[in-house]
Amino acid sequence: MTHPILSSFRLFLRVKSIAASSCGHTFAYGIDLNTDEIIKVRLNTVDEGVDDLMQARQMSRELALKQVKSQYTGANSRDSLQTKRDKYQAVYLSFDRCIEIPSTEFGIKAYRSHWAELMSADPSAEVIFGLGHVHRQPSDPVLQNQKPGAAWTEIVEAIEILTPQQQSSNHQSLIAALSPTDEQHRPREGYAVLQVYEQDQLQSEIKIFQHRKAVTHPDPQGQALSVLQAVSAEETLEYYFNGLVTKTNTEFDILRDIARIILNICCGHPVSASQFSSQATDYLASLRQLYRRFKDQQLTVRLIAVRTILFGPYKIRSLLASNPQKGPLKLYQNYQFLPTILVIQRHADSGRAFGVFALPAEQASSFKPCTLSALPLDMAQYNYRHLIAEE
């Protein structure tokens, strides 16, 4: 019989209480963010941890006991659930290597876990599930003051196939991908990706990033402060097509001309042959042929809307100090995306989101991490979830 540790999983809990159960163990009670069920989770005992490690790593009992004791007991051990409650006022907790166990309380599933990690102590925190990428940008060793380290998450908000028959909804989707604000008019950063496929093979990928303009605001001392601020989606498109000056016949110019055709056919945006980057007869003929292929749907167009969320200062320091070759971070290397859970909080003055926690949503996912370019065209209906905190 297969040991359950070999099929263990990750749980994410909105904590309602942390208390002792009738069986004598301390459990975290709350809502499973994946299933919306009421569950309870406790931490492994030393004996359970040793048994799990022996089975998972084919390790001797002596070595397993030494490793587990260093993690579960002593000066540098894991926090107890009581500590998560009393010291950190945990509202959201993540549990690794979870195994379902018999429950002594009717209607409440019970689990044991190797480790608990604080996701957020903010009752108003929001949780996002979607394909995500965690990006680390270490500080420049020479220009640390001008280029300090940074870290952010890119999370896929929507994936749609654009067809000529749905121009109005396609236009709305594109505008939403480039919008500088969310539905509640709070700041939002992001970009749109247009992918062109012939059958199942990617032929072109076009990224349109939000355009930013310098605006002046008074700082807390009343002094003028210049900052870059994203413009409207319509202004971004105007700048992308007409404001960017490049060398003639660059790859960017060609992709921009392809984007003009796509937006004309799929979104109803006007286009004139005089706007194309080259007026050469052969070039215009190739664009007319391309136009017909898009119009006849011989080519498939996919829109991917990506939102960018910076991490807060504490999480940035933590991510930059961690080893990207170890742990969950290694799954995000080479700009790869995978199912991710992201916890955000908001600045009180502007409502701008900042990340406080990010982790692969599944401990052993069947989804193979990949770049957006390698994302399967025939993937099932994309499921993006944004959970708003309870009032």
Side-chain angles (χ1 to χ4, degrees), residues 198-213:
E198 184 171 18
Q199 297 180 349
D200 293 332
Q201 299 299 312
L202 180 66
Q203 301 298 315
S204 300
E205 184 172 85
I206 306 161
K207 291 184 178 180
I208 305 176
F209 295 93
Q210 288 172 323
H211 178 51
R212 288 174 168 77
K213 286 183 178 178

Side-chain angles (χ1 to χ4, degrees), residues 121-364:
D122 183 357
S124 63
E126 302 165 37
V127 180
I128 296 173
F129 286 93
L131 287 177
H133 169 74
V134 175
H135 190 91
R136 299 164 67 259
Q137 181 176 286
S139 61
D140 188 301
V142 178
L143 303 171
Q144 290 189 28
N145 292 333
Q146 291 87 355
K147 293 185 178 180
W152 61 88
T153 299
E154 295 185 4
I155 198 97
V156 174
E157 289 186 316
I159 302 176
E160 299 179 36
I161 300 296
L162 306 186
T163 63
Q165 296 79 19
Q166 303 290 331
Q167 285 189 348
S168 178
S169 61
N170 294 342
H171 171 77
Q172 292 173 9
S173 297
L174 179 64
I175 294 301
L178 297 173
S179 176
T181 58
D182 63 15
E183 293 178 351
Q184 284 73 45
H185 308 291
R186 298 169 300 196
R188 175 192 174 278
E189 287 77 36
Y191 61 93
V193 183
L194 293 170
Q195 296 177 328
V196 179
Y197 287 84
E198 184 171 18
Q199 297 180 349
D200 293 332
Q201 299 299 312
L202 180 66
Q203 301 298 315
S204 300
E205 184 172 85
I206 306 161
K207 291 184 178 180
I208 305 176
F209 295 93
Q210 288 172 323
H211 178 51
R212 288 174 168 77
K213 286 183 178 178
V215 295
T216 302
H217 294 295
D219 65 14
Q221 286 73 43
Q223 300 297 314
L225 178 67
S226 180
V227 296
L228 290 175
Q229 182 172 297
V231 300
S232 70
E234 290 82 2
E235 287 180 274
T236 285
L237 290 172
E238 173 66 23
Y239 179 76
Y240 175 77
F241 287 120
N242 303 311
L244 283 172
V245 178
T246 68
K247 295 179 180 178
T248 306
N249 295 330
T250 63
E251 182 182 1
F252 173 80
D253 283 322
I254 297 170
L255 290 176
R256 183 162 56 176
D257 287 343
I258 295 173
R260 292 182 198 277
I261 294 172
I262 292 173
L263 267 59
N264 174 257
I265 293 173
C266 296
C267 300
H269 292 198
V271 65
S272 168
S274 63
Q275 295 173 311
F276 292 128
S277 59
S278 172
Q279 297 300 301
T281 302
D282 289 349
Y283 185 71
L284 292 177
S286 66
L287 290 182
R288 281 193 291 270
Q289 183 182 19
L290 191 63
Y291 182 94
R292 287 192 292 271
R293 296 190 70 197
F294 278 119
K295 191 77 172 177
D296 296 340
Q297 294 183 257
Q298 297 174 19
L299 300 172
T300 300
V301 179
R302 178 165 69 176
L303 168 67
I304 302 178
V306 182
R307 183 175 181 184
T308 302
I309 299 177
L310 292 172
F311 285 107
Y314 176 81
K315 188 61 178 176
I316 289 176
R317 288 194 296 271
S318 172
L319 285 169
L320 294 182
S322 58
N323 186 342
Q325 307 297 327
K326 295 183 178 180
L329 275 180
K330 67 182 179 182
L331 298 174
Y332 294 108
Q333 292 187 86
N334 303 318
Y335 224 89
Q336 295 192 119
F337 285 71
L338 67 152
T340 296
I341 180 172
L342 171 68
V343 180
I344 61 173
Q345 296 174 191
R346 295 187 181 274
H347 293 286
D349 55 349
S350 65
R352 184 182 299 276
F354 61 94
V356 296
F357 177 92
L359 202 66
E362 301 169 27
Q363 201 153 298

Side-chain angles (χ1 to χ4, degrees), residues 51-69:
D51 182 49
D52 290 347
L53 200 56
M54 290 171 62
Q55 295 293 329
R57 305 278 178 84
Q58 299 297 302
M59 191 179 289
S60 70
R61 181 170 185 81
E62 181 181 5
L63 287 176
L65 180 61
K66 181 179 180 180
Q67 183 170 325
V68 169
K69 278 192 171 182

